[in-house]
Amino acid sequence: MNGKSICAVFFDLDGTLIDSAPDLIDAMHRLRAELGEPTIAMDKVGMVVSKGGRAMLRAGFPGIAEARMETLLPRYLDLYAEQIAKHTRTFDGIDAVLANFDARPLPWGIVTNKPEHLARRVVAELGLAARSAALVGGDTLAKRKPDPEPLLHAALLANVDAAHSVYVGDDARDIEAGRAAGMRTVAAGWGYLDGEDPREWGADIVVARPQDLIPALGLD
């Protein structure tokens, strides 16, 4: 990519900017304990974080009925919110990438399917809120990714041109949304891939590590 033509970079949140799986897994353990369910391995929960709360509940309660899942989802999110940033951290290399953007300055923002109030809270806890040019959550608008509207809204909030922006994400829906919004897309190979090959998503670039983003975007 030509770094000189990039006016902003937007990121998915869970699995791209932050490693939130430990706290989401912990909330699942607490939910099962609250319901009197036995302890089970939670590896699968961590693998599907980028696919949302329902996917995590399906992994944390194998064979769960859809109706029960919908009933449990609010409580699961409440338990998660109680300790939303106990173990959550930015991925190794992300802090340096964001510092590079801030120094240029190059605006960056967040577009996630996580409920906005949870996204804002964890971003604030990690000290990123004041630095982000835009944050759009999964319930900010009537539509969510893979629809492009949240990305276009983020570009509007950041006062940048979507056609000269980049979207970075660790799920096929991220790449689909970015392409539909007219943005250039980067598949985050360090995310919660659940065995998927990000090279199959049709992204402009696949990046294995956060620290590789700067040269991949032509910003070195």
Side-chain angles (χ1 to χ4, degrees):
M1 292 184 183
N2 182 357
K4 293 181 179 179
S5 67
I6 296 173
C7 66
V9 179
F10 297 98
F11 296 89
D12 175 50
L13 186 59
D14 302 88
T16 302
L17 271 186
I18 65 172
D19 182 8
S20 53
D23 287 323
L24 287 159
I25 289 172
D26 183 63
M28 190 69 70
H29 279 301
R30 286 184 283 131
L31 178 60
R32 287 187 61 89
E34 184 175 277
L35 295 171
E37 299 281 354
T39 300
I40 64 170
M42 291 287 179
D43 294 349
K44 184 65 175 176
V45 174
M47 295 172 66
V48 298
V49 166
S50 291
K51 300 190 182 302
R54 290 173 178 83
M56 285 182 277
L57 281 168
R58 291 188 190 101
F61 291 82
I64 188 172
E66 292 295 303
R68 188 183 187 216
M69 181 186 66
E70 294 298 331
T71 299
L72 292 182
L73 182 59
R75 180 56 181 157
Y76 175 53
L77 295 180
D78 285 346
L79 287 170
Y80 169 58
E82 289 176 5
Q83 299 184 35
I84 199 168
K86 183 176 181 180
H87 303 292
T88 295
R89 300 290 183 270
T90 53
F91 281 101
D92 289 343
I94 285 292
D95 288 343
V97 169
L98 299 183
N100 183 297
F101 291 171
D102 291 342
R104 289 180 181 273
L106 177 67
W108 61 269
I110 297 165
V111 184
T112 174
N113 276 354
K114 196 185 199 83
E116 183 180 341
H117 74 284
L118 294 177
R120 289 195 178 279
R121 184 169 168 192
V122 71
V123 167
E125 292 275 359
L126 295 176
L128 301 176
R131 298 164 60 190
S132 173
L135 190 156
V136 179
D139 54 0
T140 302
L141 306 174
K143 297 179 179 179
R144 54 191 285 167
K145 298 179 297 182
D147 192 280
E149 192 60 32
L151 277 70
L152 295 172
H153 185 61
L156 182 65
L157 292 175
N159 195 30
V160 297
D161 182 1
H164 290 92
S165 298
V166 175
Y167 189 56
V168 185
D170 71 314
D171 189 87
R173 293 175 302 175
D174 297 325
I175 305 308
E176 181 181 345
R179 294 180 66 181
M183 295 185 180
R184 283 166 283 183
T185 56
V186 177
W190 61 87
Y192 306 134
L193 303 181
D194 192 22
E196 296 181 37
D197 185 349
R199 293 173 296 182
E200 297 178 354
W201 299 343
D204 294 301
I205 297 175
V206 179
V207 177
R209 308 176 304 164
Q211 49 266 49
D212 296 331
L213 266 175
I214 300 300
L217 296 177
L219 297 171
D220 52 352

